[in-house]
């Protein structure tokens, strides 16, 4: 009996303190944004909460005014309507009030946009992401021979061969055959374009969302603060299989990334399997986004 108790405690300890991969993804009954994995997403989450301090009072104020108008100025209570056409005080208030509110919203939003689109750090890794109907192609601009591969939706029949049968970590319609692999704590520049129609490269946990336009090269960036497996999707209606165009980014340590990159130069599939074994093999306990959010 004691041994069983110790086993249970040990299992709980592994779940609580294990340094395994996180899988950030949408979860049932989710009301807010996904947990932040970058400082940029932290600022976006802060800005969302900040705007609510203006949105909620303004909404309640307008609701009160509507109720007041309906009750006080209904036909039975006010048979002779007022013919007042101007009120200087009211006009000044309803002009200056929105201007002040917009200033309080504009200043932090412009600062956030500037940080998103004009990074101050030099990129430590550059990746080109190309949207196709309906998958993503990635090209690592490293060395004299860039590494490139495609990332397609993982089919149910291919899960066993890929070692991705756990749908809690590799969810249906979000898991891919080849994840984009990046090192943790590094400034990653992403050059985004498309080969056919307009797509959008979006990763909620990173605070990244930018259009992929044919014939144009857009740029975004991120610096992941923690290791894990993160999911996004194409966020632009791009055709009949738009819903089957996921994005998966696996963030690992610099050492694991270097090892993966060396093997991937000759065989991406084997590199991914070796990386999965090194990340998931040490401890089979995997914390998913539901636990991170709770």
């Amino acid at each position: 009996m004691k041994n069983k108790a110790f086993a249970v405690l040990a299992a709980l300890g592994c779940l609580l303190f294990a340094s395994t991969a996180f899988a950030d993804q949408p979860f049932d009954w989710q009301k807010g944004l996904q947990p932040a994995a970058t400082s940029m997403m932290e600022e976006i989450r802060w800005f969302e909460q900040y705007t609510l301090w203006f949105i909620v009072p303004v909404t309640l104020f307008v609701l009160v005014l509507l109720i007041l108008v309906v009750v006080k100025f209904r036909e039975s209570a006010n048979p002779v309507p007022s013919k007042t056409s101007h009120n200087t005080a009211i006009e000044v208030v309803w002009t200056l009030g929105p201007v002040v509110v917009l200033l309080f919203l504009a200043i932090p939003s412009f600062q956030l946009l500037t940080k998103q689109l004009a990074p101050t750090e030099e990129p430590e890794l550059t990746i080109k992401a190309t949207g196709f109907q309906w998958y993503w192609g990635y090209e690592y601009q490293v060395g004299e021979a860039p590494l490139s591969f495609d990332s397609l939706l993982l089919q149910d029949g291919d899960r066993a061969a890929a070692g991705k049968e756990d749908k809690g970590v590799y969810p249906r319609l979000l898991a891919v055959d080849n994840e984009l692999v990046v090192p943790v704590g590094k400034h990653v520049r992403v050059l985004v374009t498309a080969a056919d129609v307009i797509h959008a490269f979006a990763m909620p946990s990173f605070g990244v969302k930018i259009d992929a336009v044919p014939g144009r090269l857009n740029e975004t960036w991120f610096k992941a603060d923690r290791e894990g497996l993160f999911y996004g999707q194409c966020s632009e209606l791009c055709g009949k299989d738009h819903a089957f165009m996921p994005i998966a980014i696996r963030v690992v340590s610099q050492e694991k990334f270097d090892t993966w990159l060396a093997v991937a130069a000759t065989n991406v599939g084997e590199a991914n399997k070796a990386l999965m074994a090194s990340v998931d093999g040490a401890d089979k306990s995997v914390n998913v986004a539901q636990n991170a959010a709770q």
Side-chain angles (χ1 to χ4, degrees), residues 222-234:
F222 62 84
K223 180 191 283 188
D225 297 329
R226 56 186 169 90
E227 298 181 38
L229 184 55
F230 304 90
Y231 291 105
Q233 289 177 299
C234 172

Side-chain angles (χ1 to χ4, degrees), residues 4-107:
K4 288 185 178 180
F6 282 126
V8 171
L9 290 175
L12 289 174
C14 289
L15 288 173
L16 292 172
F17 303 109
S19 58
T20 55
F22 285 85
D24 277 18
Q25 56 184 279
F27 56 90
D28 292 342
W29 301 102
Q30 180 178 358
K31 297 185 292 294
L33 302 175
Q34 289 189 21
T38 65
S39 60
M40 179 63 67
M41 189 57 188
E42 290 283 3
E43 293 192 28
I44 292 174
R45 289 174 64 91
W46 172 87
F47 185 68
E48 179 209 18
Q49 299 297 320
Y50 173 76
T51 56
L52 288 177
W53 287 100
F54 298 91
I55 294 172
V56 172
V58 169
T59 302
L60 293 177
F61 177 68
V62 172
L63 177 62
V64 170
L65 288 181
L66 287 173
I67 294 173
L68 181 65
V69 168
V70 169
V71 173
K72 187 175 180 179
F73 297 102
R74 67 188 190 278
E75 184 179 4
S76 58
N78 191 45
V80 181
S82 171
K83 295 183 179 180
T84 303
S85 59
H86 295 284
N87 186 302
T88 303
I90 291 178
E91 291 182 358
V92 170
V93 170
W94 75 31
T95 300
L96 293 181
V99 169
V100 172
V101 171
L102 289 175
L103 281 175
F104 276 99
L105 294 176
I107 293 173

Side-chain angles (χ1 to χ4, degrees), residues 38 121-125 182-189 221-225 251-255 257-258:
T38 65
E121 296 182 49
E122 287 296 320
E124 298 170 275
L125 175 65
V182 299
V184 67
K186 300 297 182 180
H187 184 110
V188 180
R189 175 174 59 182
W221 69 277
F222 62 84
K223 180 191 283 188
D225 297 329
V251 182
V252 298
S253 66
Q254 183 67 53
E255 180 183 0
F257 173 77
D258 292 338

